[in-house]
Amino acid sequence: MSRSSTPQPIFWRDSRLPHVELRVVEDGRKVCYAPHTHTQWSMGAITAGQSTFVYVDRRYRVSAGALVFMNPEWVHNCNPIENQPWAYLMLYVDAEWLAGLRFRLGLCDEPVWQDLDCDVSRSEPLFLGFRDLADCLLDEQVSIQQKRDRTEAFLSEVMVSVSAPSAHSDGPFPPAPGPIQALARYLDDHCVDELSLEWMAERVALSPSHLVRVFRKHFGMTPHAYQINRRIQLGQRALKQGAPIADAALAAGFFDQPHFQRVFKRLVAATPGQYGRPLIEDQVQATRRK
């Protein structure tokens, strides 16, 4: 199959079901991710072929029928194996909404997000349920209420199946010292600012090389990669709200649109144009009439 004939990724979103987003990739040979994180909890299903799945410091080879699960803010990537074809589904779920669902199901004592301890599963019922949910969300003949009910029923089943809290209650990395934690929170709030490594190192009273080592130890990526990851998340948010690519690039702190597009594709494995165009315009309109 030539590059030009490779199926494009599909993103399904609906503003009336704002806590979920579906991604469909039918040919993932060109879909390569750099290490990144999501603010949402996410799960994937390998529907054909096989790929690598790197989750923090754990490495898996996953094949058709496998499910993978990712906690919010846990570093991961999933990539093809030697140009072998593979296909997958991804579901991104708002962590706050999911914490509320787990609380209502009696799986936790308070409606606050708690990381889960399941990385990979071969559960056939959950795999088939995920496929059915994807078909439901993509079907323009299904009402939004039916989609809402199916989504909650499926995620309830998943949460009951993988409900064990993570043994890493503070996250996958050791808690960062106060100054490093403060720097990360500063980057969260000022990720669009131009901040040099030297400036960051001076802020925490470390040499630049030592800062890189310490930050990676506690957050799984360098300060610069952490900042870029946050910028791309801002760009995704702007695109989901309907912003043109140029405006999304500016919102994410990129004054060079081609640079934004290159970095976006490296972390999201889709172009801003593909990500910002959920499914098909006709389907969105048809869904809204229901």
Side-chain angles (χ1 to χ4, degrees):
M1 181 180 293
S2 68
R3 176 185 291 265
S4 60
S5 62
T6 300
Q8 299 299 302
I10 293 173
F11 293 93
W12 180 90
R13 294 188 290 270
D14 191 301
S15 60
R16 295 166 300 171
L17 199 59
H19 50 272
V20 294
E21 177 181 353
L22 175 71
R23 175 179 181 144
V24 183
V25 172
E26 296 179 355
D27 184 347
R29 283 177 293 179
K30 302 296 183 183
V31 180
C32 297
Y33 295 89
H36 63 286
T37 68
H38 304 293
T39 58
Q40 311 100 319
W41 179 83
S42 50
M43 69 177 293
I46 310 302
T47 55
Q50 60 181 335
S51 71
T52 60
F53 173 49
V54 180
Y55 189 45
V56 191
D57 58 354
R58 310 161 205 170
R59 181 180 295 272
Y60 304 93
R61 179 172 290 209
V62 289
S63 57
L67 297 167
V68 297
F69 307 93
M70 288 143 280
N71 288 312
E73 305 299 353
W74 285 38
V75 180
H76 62 277
N77 62 72
C78 203
N79 289 307
I81 299 173
E82 298 173 352
N83 201 38
Q84 296 180 34
W86 67 299
Y88 64 94
L89 302 169
M90 282 297 304
L91 189 70
Y92 306 93
V93 187
D94 179 80
E96 184 176 350
W97 179 89
L98 194 55
L101 176 63
R102 292 168 68 190
F103 177 70
R104 296 194 299 274
L105 292 170
L107 300 175
C108 51
D109 296 331
E110 54 182 341
V112 176
W113 177 257
Q114 299 174 32
D115 289 333
L116 296 170
D117 218 11
C118 186
D119 299 352
V120 177
S121 170
R122 295 288 305 188
S123 168
E124 185 175 4
L126 292 186
F127 180 82
L128 295 176
F130 193 177
R131 304 258 337 221
D132 288 344
L133 176 64
D135 289 342
C136 172
L137 295 178
L138 295 170
D139 189 345
E140 64 183 59
Q141 301 303 317
V142 177
S143 72
I144 192 64
Q145 185 59 51
Q146 289 174 291
K147 294 180 180 184
R148 186 178 293 115
D149 293 343
R150 289 282 293 276
T151 299
E152 184 162 336
F154 172 69
L155 287 172
S156 296
E157 182 181 1
V158 173
M159 290 300 102
V160 169
S161 299
V162 299
S163 60
S166 172
H168 306 280
S169 58
D170 294 319
F173 303 103
I180 302 300
Q181 189 68 242
L183 175 61
R185 299 292 75 83
Y186 187 89
L187 293 178
D188 290 341
D189 296 334
H190 300 84
C191 64
V192 299
D193 295 348
E194 292 297 331
L195 305 173
S196 69
L197 179 61
E198 290 72 21
W199 182 90
M200 288 187 269
E202 184 177 348
R203 183 180 176 92
V204 296
L206 295 174
S207 69
S209 59
H210 192 192
L211 171 60
V212 168
R213 289 194 298 272
V214 172
F215 201 95
R216 184 186 283 119
K217 174 183 176 181
H218 295 287
F219 291 96
M221 54 181 75
T222 68
H224 177 70
Y226 184 95
Q227 182 181 14
I228 292 298
N229 188 68
R230 285 286 186 254
R231 283 187 175 188
I232 294 302
Q233 289 172 353
L234 286 181
Q236 287 179 280
R237 190 179 310 158
L239 290 168
K240 284 195 282 189
Q241 293 170 349
I245 294 173
D247 291 349
L250 288 174
F254 291 86
F255 297 98
D256 180 348
Q257 186 174 326
H259 184 208
F260 170 66
Q261 292 175 316
R262 288 193 300 273
V263 176
F264 191 98
K265 187 171 183 179
R266 185 165 59 86
L267 294 188
V268 184
T271 67
Q274 291 166 344
Y275 184 80
R277 187 177 59 252
L279 199 54
I280 306 167
E281 298 296 331
D282 299 85
Q283 177 176 327
V284 173
Q285 295 304 318
T287 303
R288 295 192 184 284
R289 289 197 293 270
K290 294 185 182 295

